[in-house]
Amino acid sequence: NWVANAGPVSRGLEAAAGVAHERDLPEFRRTTFREWFADRDRIPPVDPDRKVVLYPDLYTNYMMVDRGKAAVRALEALGAEVLVPSVPGAGRAPLSQGMIDTARRKAERVMENLDPYVEAGYDVVVVEPSDLAMFREDYERLLPDDSYESLAEHSYEICEYVYGLLANGADAEALNVADGETVAYHSHCQQRTMGLAEYSTAVLETCGYDVTTSDVECCGMAGSFGYKEQYYELAMDVGSNLEDQLRDADPDHVIASGTSCTDQIGDLLGEEPAHVIELVAPDEGNQ
């Protein structure tokens, strides 16, 4: 199911594109998240408790497909109807590089695609914290008037939404309940800025996990910063405190909530962590 990984960046690509040769190139799935969802043989609930559009961000759709699948399983297990429509990227990458006009065009297209669902009563659930930050904060500056408000008001981070379902009566036993397993958890900086990291911890604890959270503000990757050849050593130095904390915790599971952190922790520890939702979602055959 994987497209062959290009492996570590070559010296030639490092010289041409400025990507540190110590980093691995992303691995792309042959079957995207949207394609997997469209091909599923599953009957939607007749009278769902909630209706959800799960936003297929670029990372989840093309590379980190398993976390998207896990999000679908968790939401459906808790009684939600889930749709995964075709929606373009949120514009985070061009915005981070100062390409304002490109980011604005992407924001306009996202709104065109998601507005009809919001108007029909769907909540928008987002796996990647950076994209949720776009919806809730950056779109206010990219879009005219108050057109961003409906999307901002009805958008939720995946564990924030799962927490809300549980708090409103959904059965936690429908999820993957642990028996004293330990977890070391590092939350994405955008997630912390929005005040959402606590929901991941609460969901994990509700499912029976013993959670240790890192107190490191930044993993050191900072989007594309840590991939650049001239900043690689600095990025790894910044991440050294996080590495020490995660190793000292000696957990059964190391987990993270954002793509940048996942990649950085993978390089720091030699093993890529799972997303929170992958740990708590029921197995495919247990729904």
Side-chain angles (χ1 to χ4, degrees):
N1 198 34
W2 288 99
V3 172
N5 180 22
V9 175
S10 68
R11 293 284 185 175
L13 184 57
E14 178 180 81
V19 180
H21 72 271
E22 293 90 349
R23 299 289 189 188
D24 286 338
L25 292 174
E27 294 175 325
F28 289 83
R29 294 276 193 160
R30 291 190 184 276
T31 302
T32 67
F33 174 48
R34 288 202 304 262
E35 291 170 343
W36 168 84
F37 186 85
D39 291 341
R40 293 176 79 220
D41 183 17
R42 185 167 178 82
I43 300 173
V46 176
D47 186 22
D49 296 327
R50 304 292 298 185
K51 298 190 296 181
V52 169
V53 167
L54 185 59
Y55 175 66
D57 67 84
L58 297 178
Y59 299 109
T60 301
N61 189 50
Y62 291 105
M63 290 169 281
M64 306 179 78
V65 175
D66 286 344
R67 70 182 190 180
K69 294 178 180 180
V72 171
R73 295 199 305 272
L75 292 168
E76 289 183 341
L78 296 175
E81 174 193 353
V82 182
L83 299 179
V84 183
S86 178
V87 186
R92 167 60 63 183
L95 184 64
S96 71
Q97 301 301 311
M99 302 166 65
I100 307 301
D101 289 341
T102 301
R104 181 174 291 110
R105 288 194 296 270
K106 288 184 175 291
E108 291 169 349
R109 291 180 59 206
V110 168
M111 291 297 299
E112 290 172 2
N113 281 268
L114 291 182
D115 258 354
Y117 292 101
V118 174
E119 291 176 2
Y122 283 80
D123 297 317
V124 178
V125 175
V126 184
V127 177
E128 182 62 33
S130 293
D131 287 336
L132 182 63
M134 291 291 289
F135 294 171
R136 287 191 177 180
E137 299 171 356
D138 298 292
Y139 277 16
E140 180 180 8
R141 299 168 180 83
L142 293 173
L143 297 171
D145 302 325
D146 298 328
S147 61
Y148 87 103
E149 289 182 351
S150 60
L151 180 58
E153 182 180 349
H154 293 93
S155 295
Y156 304 87
E157 190 266 340
I158 179 62
C159 287
E160 176 190 17
Y161 200 79
V162 167
Y163 174 86
L165 293 174
L166 295 172
N168 283 280
D171 185 5
E173 292 294 325
L175 300 177
N176 182 20
V177 179
D179 183 18
E181 294 176 62
T182 59
V183 168
Y185 169 55
H186 178 70
S187 61
H188 190 277
C189 57
Q190 294 280 5
Q191 192 180 22
R192 296 187 189 203
T193 299
M194 292 183 286
L196 302 178
E198 63 188 40
Y199 294 110
S200 294
T201 303
V203 167
L204 288 165
E205 291 176 344
T206 299
C207 290
Y209 292 93
D210 182 4
V211 184
T212 298
T213 58
S214 73
D215 59 13
V216 174
E217 290 294 326
C218 179
C219 70
M221 185 65 87
S224 63
F225 175 87
Y227 273 96
K228 297 176 181 178
E229 184 274 332
Q230 67 267 41
Y231 301 131
Y232 171 77
E233 293 295 340
L234 175 58
M236 297 300 282
D237 285 345
V238 171
S240 62
N241 288 337
L242 176 60
E243 178 185 4
D244 291 343
Q245 288 189 15
L246 295 176
R247 291 190 185 281
D248 289 346
D250 192 25
D252 296 311
H253 307 278
V254 175
I255 54 175
S257 53
T259 301
S260 295
C261 305
T262 298
D263 289 349
Q264 175 76 331
I265 292 170
D267 284 346
L268 290 168
L269 300 183
E271 183 177 353
E272 195 167 274
H275 189 281
V276 181
I277 200 64
E278 293 180 80
L279 193 61
V280 302
D283 295 334
E284 187 70 45
N286 293 338
Q287 287 184 264

